[in-house]
Amino acid sequence: KLEKEMAAANGKLATLETTLADAALYVASERDQLQRLLQEQKTLQEQARTAEEQWLELSAQLEAMESAG
């Protein structure tokens, strides 16, 4: 489940970063859209980081259980 969450968030981030690379987005008339996209980017980065941290923690626990067992 966490791997799917990480993949989904990273996929959305890649798409979003392609959108953010468009120079037309940085004109004054697109300011609101740019701010919305940057907030979405921040949210997705946080989701990906949280999922990765949980995955790493669970992997470490599984490894410790395998070593003990």
Side-chain angles (χ1 to χ4, degrees):
K1 179 184 172 188
L2 289 173
E3 289 174 346
K4 288 181 182 180
E5 287 180 28
M6 287 188 302
N10 286 325
K12 290 177 184 177
L13 272 171
T15 300
L16 184 59
E17 288 170 359
T18 299
T19 302
L20 288 169
D22 184 359
L25 190 58
Y26 294 87
V27 296
S29 63
E30 297 296 325
R31 182 177 171 189
D32 290 341
Q33 181 180 1
L34 176 61
Q35 288 179 339
R36 183 184 60 78
L37 291 172
L38 289 171
Q39 181 58 44
E40 183 178 347
Q41 179 186 39
K42 180 181 175 184
T43 300
L44 287 169
Q45 288 170 335
E46 289 172 359
Q47 288 174 352
R49 183 174 43 251
T50 298
E52 183 177 5
E53 288 171 355
Q54 290 174 346
W55 183 84
L56 289 170
E57 183 178 322
L58 290 172
S59 294
Q61 289 176 7
L62 180 59
E63 188 176 312
M65 287 172 37
E66 289 173 347
S67 296

